Amino acid sequence: MEHELIDYYDENGNHKGVIDKAIAHKEGLWHKSVHAWIINSKNQILLQKRCALKTFYPNFWDCSFAGHVGAGENNKESALREGEEEIGISFSPDDLEYAFTNKEILKWNDKDSREFVYVYIIKKDIAVSDIKYQKEEVEEARYFELEELFNGKIENLFPHQDEYDQLKEILGYTSDNESQI
């Protein structure tokens, strides 16, 4: 198994050192990740289905692409790298609109993930047929209506509930299907 070095932090975001990602997850150490949400001109959101071989929430629908911030890497660099790796799409730094940072704690089997998640929105028309899946990460991708995402209509949706609530607000989504992007 390949080792991935990441920076880790205390719960207040103070840098503590560098550690292997697997150890950070095993010991529940705070670290950084990025989530990117692609929204097309039809006001649909691109989700990816995580690969069945993933050890953390396999076969769950998740954000357009995501990943850990590597040791010494900045958040935007990480997001750009993950877009290329996971879905084979190159974005410019100007494509990434910083939305918010979320503190997220999730557990799955023996993993205890504590992350400062830097969330980006990308408003761009990306054809699903142009996506090149990183087979170790992504099973498939497709667009969903915002209503499906925000109203619990997607089976096996990754449990980013706080993030969904904040996205709803930022995107101006209301239950009567009005959203202003």
Side-chain angles (χ1 to χ4, degrees):
M1 184 162 115
E2 191 175 317
H3 296 282
E4 185 177 346
L5 295 178
I6 59 174
D7 292 312
Y8 73 100
Y9 303 83
D10 66 19
E11 65 185 29
N12 298 313
N14 299 308
H15 187 263
K16 303 297 283 180
V18 175
I19 197 164
D20 186 278
K21 177 180 81 170
I23 295 169
H25 280 164
K26 187 168 184 66
E27 296 182 10
L29 300 175
W30 285 99
H31 55 282
K32 292 181 178 180
S33 68
V34 293
H35 290 177
W37 299 88
I38 297 171
I39 299 171
N40 67 17
S41 59
K42 295 178 183 175
N43 212 21
Q44 299 168 319
I45 196 158
L46 181 74
L47 300 183
Q48 63 155 281
K49 187 174 187 184
R50 295 167 60 83
C51 174
L53 300 175
K54 297 286 288 177
T55 59
F56 197 66
Y57 290 93
N59 290 316
F60 274 68
W61 288 99
D62 202 352
C63 54
S64 307
F65 59 89
H68 289 84
V69 176
E73 189 175 43
N74 75 41
N75 304 329
K76 211 170 222 189
E77 289 171 339
S78 178
L80 294 170
R81 175 181 50 76
E82 290 293 345
E84 285 189 48
E85 288 176 3
E86 287 192 6
I87 63 172
I89 305 286
S90 294
F91 296 97
S92 79
D94 292 338
D95 290 330
L96 300 173
E97 179 186 317
Y98 172 76
F100 56 88
T101 302
N102 193 35
K103 282 176 83 170
E104 182 176 75
I105 299 173
L106 293 170
K107 293 181 188 279
W108 180 272
N109 298 328
D110 65 339
K111 295 197 181 332
D112 182 5
S113 180
R114 296 171 186 266
E115 298 181 1
F116 296 102
V117 182
Y118 293 80
V119 179
Y120 295 93
I121 295 172
I122 300 169
K123 296 174 184 167
K124 197 168 194 150
D125 287 325
I126 304 290
V128 173
S129 60
D130 290 341
I131 295 174
K132 296 171 189 72
Y133 304 129
Q134 181 183 15
K135 62 183 175 187
E136 305 83 21
E137 298 284 335
V138 181
E139 189 83 23
E140 68 177 291
R142 75 179 184 98
Y143 283 98
F144 289 85
E145 299 298 328
L146 293 179
E147 176 187 1
E148 294 175 281
L149 174 65
F150 295 138
N151 293 330
K153 296 181 178 182
I154 300 172
E155 206 171 305
N156 289 336
L157 183 63
F158 203 105
H160 299 301
Q161 193 55 53
D162 289 344
E163 192 166 329
Y164 301 140
D165 291 344
Q166 291 179 63
L167 280 170
K168 235 190 257 190
E169 188 174 319
I170 286 173
L171 298 176
Y173 180 82
T174 60
S175 60
D176 60 356
N177 252 355
E178 296 175 16
S179 66
Q180 309 293 319
I181 295 183

